[in-house]
Amino acid sequence: MAEHDKAQAVQRMQDHIEEHIGEAITLEDLSQAAGYSRSHSLRIFKEATGLTPFDYIRRCRLTEGARRLRDGNIRIADVAARCAFDTHEGFTRAFSKEFGLSPESYKEGPVPLRYFIPYSVLIRYLVGNKGDDIMEKKQKQTVFVYTAERPERKAIIKRGTEAKDYYAYCEEVGCEVWGILESVKEASYEPAGFWLPPKLIKKGTSKYVQGVEVPFDYKGVVPDGFEAIELEPCKVMVFQGEPFKDEEFEEAIGGVWEAIEKYDPKLHGFEWADADAPRFQLMPVGSRGYIEARPVKALAE
C-alpha cells in the first residue's frame, strides 16, 4: 500500500470522525470510510496518528466537551450526552483523567488546558514530502485584501529558539502548543503563528512563535512555558485566498505569499510596518482559504 494511499485512507477516517463526533462510531464505519478491512484500517490509523481510533475519538470528544463547558451555560450531563458518553459519571472520569481536573472545576473556572487538536494526516504527509519550497508551489487565485485595526492588547506566546517559520517551529517546540492556545477562554481572536518584529525578540529566541491575543487587561493564567507580551495598537493588511482542497494547501499558501510580495500598499496610502508589529498567519482551513496579515502604517505626509 503506497504511503500516499495510506494517508488518504486515514484522512477519510479522520473526516468521518469529525462529521459524526456526537454519534456512535464503530470500527466498521471507519473501515468503510477508509475502504479497507477493519484490521488494516485499525493498523494504518494507529501508525499515522499514534492512537487507536477509539482513543482518538475519545480525546476529540473530551476536547469538544471542554469547549462547551468553557463557552456556554450548559449542564455537564448535557455535555456528556452531546459528546456521546453514556453517563455523566463516565464523562467525568474520562475528563478528569485527560485534563487533570473535574468538569465541575473547569466549568466554574476555565483555565488553559491541553486541548487535543487532531492534525490532518494527509497534510502532514504532504508536508513531509513537499520537496520544493512553498513559494515555488503557488497557484493563480483571487486574493481578497482589506485592512483591520488591532487595539492595544497582549499576546500569550511560546517562543522557540531559532525558528523562522511554522515547520521549523514545530520541529523545535512540538505540535501541542496550538491545543493550549485554543483553550484560552479570554482569547480575542483565534490562535495564530506570529513573525515577531526585532523589538519583541529576546536574545536566543525565535522570530516565529505561536500565540493568541487577549485583552490588554488580561489577568488570567499564563501556562507554564508561555509568556504574555504587550502589543501596541496597529493596523494590519489582511490577505485571504480562495478556498482550497487539503492536498492543495501548499499551493494555496504560496499563492497568497506571492500576492503579498507583489502588493504595493502605497497605492492605498500605506507602507509596510514589519518593525512595529507582528505579521501573523492563521491556521490554513480549506473551506475559508489561507489568511495572513502584515502590519502597515500610514505614509508620512
Side-chain angles (χ1 to χ4, degrees), residues 21-23 61 64-69 72-89 91-92 103-104 107:
I21 195 64
E23 308 166 19
R61 286 173 172 165
E64 176 62 20
R67 287 193 180 102
R68 290 179 180 271
L69 291 172
N73 184 15
I74 186 171
R75 297 191 312 153
I76 294 172
D78 293 335
V79 172
R82 293 183 185 184
C83 295
F85 280 83
D86 293 333
T87 65
H88 174 293
E89 292 76 14
F91 174 73
T92 296
E104 291 85 355
K107 185 173 187 286

Side-chain angles (χ1 to χ4, degrees), residues 18-291:
E18 182 179 356
E19 292 167 7
H20 301 277
I21 195 64
E23 308 166 19
I25 301 173
T26 67
L27 186 54
E28 180 63 27
D29 296 330
L30 297 180
S31 69
Q32 289 182 6
Y36 295 97
S37 69
R38 284 180 289 182
S39 60
H40 190 64
S41 298
L42 175 61
R43 182 167 59 254
I44 63 174
F45 191 94
K46 188 170 183 180
E47 286 177 0
T49 67
L51 297 169
T52 67
F54 298 106
D55 284 340
Y56 179 99
I57 291 167
R58 175 185 56 80
R59 297 191 69 186
C60 286
R61 286 173 172 165
L62 289 170
T63 291
E64 176 62 20
R67 287 193 180 102
R68 290 179 180 271
L69 291 172
R70 180 198 65 188
D71 296 338
N73 184 15
I74 186 171
R75 297 191 312 153
I76 294 172
D78 293 335
V79 172
R82 293 183 185 184
C83 295
F85 280 83
D86 293 333
T87 65
H88 174 293
E89 292 76 14
F91 174 73
T92 296
R93 286 194 299 271
F95 190 99
S96 300
K97 183 176 180 180
E98 178 75 10
F99 297 120
L101 76 170
S102 69
E104 291 85 355
S105 297
Y106 185 63
K107 185 173 187 286
E108 292 174 4
V111 294
L113 298 178
R114 196 181 299 276
Y115 282 2
F116 176 62
I117 306 299
Y119 290 98
S120 163
V121 165
L122 180 58
I123 288 181
R124 184 171 290 175
Y125 166 80
L126 293 170
V127 168
N129 294 273
K130 62 182 183 296
D132 299 328
D133 185 85
I134 284 181
M135 274 298 291
E136 297 177 8
K137 292 187 173 184
K138 53 199 177 187
Q139 60 184 15
K140 292 183 179 179
Q141 59 176 308
T142 301
V143 177
F144 302 94
V145 184
Y146 58 93
T147 57
E149 298 284 348
R150 281 293 209 255
E152 184 179 45
R153 63 218 185 276
K154 291 180 180 176
I156 298 174
I157 65 168
K158 187 174 181 67
R159 299 181 189 269
T161 52
E162 299 179 352
K164 296 180 181 179
D165 58 35
Y166 171 83
Y167 300 116
Y169 181 86
C170 287
E171 290 179 1
E172 286 183 6
V173 182
C175 298
E176 296 183 331
V177 174
W178 211 267
I180 296 174
L181 295 172
E182 276 210 1
S183 76
V184 177
K185 179 178 175 62
E186 298 85 354
S188 303
Y189 312 97
E190 65 186 275
F194 297 91
W195 288 273
L196 297 177
K199 65 181 181 181
L200 293 177
I201 301 173
K202 291 183 176 180
K203 185 177 180 180
T205 66
S206 59
K207 175 181 180 66
Y208 186 91
V209 303
Q210 288 184 354
V212 66
E213 294 180 8
V214 294
F216 189 76
D217 61 356
Y218 178 77
K219 302 296 183 184
V221 174
V222 176
D224 290 343
F226 292 71
E227 65 181 279
I229 61 173
E230 296 182 0
L231 300 178
E232 299 173 358
C234 70
K235 186 185 293 288
V236 294
M237 195 158 280
V238 183
F239 295 79
Q240 180 170 2
E242 297 177 21
F244 58 88
K245 297 178 182 179
D246 284 347
E247 59 268 24
E248 298 172 350
F249 82 102
E250 288 187 286
E251 291 85 349
I253 294 173
V256 172
W257 282 0
E258 181 182 35
I260 295 174
E261 292 304 313
K262 290 183 175 179
Y263 193 83
D264 183 2
K266 293 184 176 66
L267 296 174
H268 299 281
F270 297 106
E271 62 182 335
W272 300 125
D274 296 326
D276 297 338
R279 177 173 175 170
F280 62 87
Q281 61 179 176
L282 303 185
M283 180 179 287
V285 177
S287 60
R288 70 179 181 190
Y290 175 65
I291 299 173

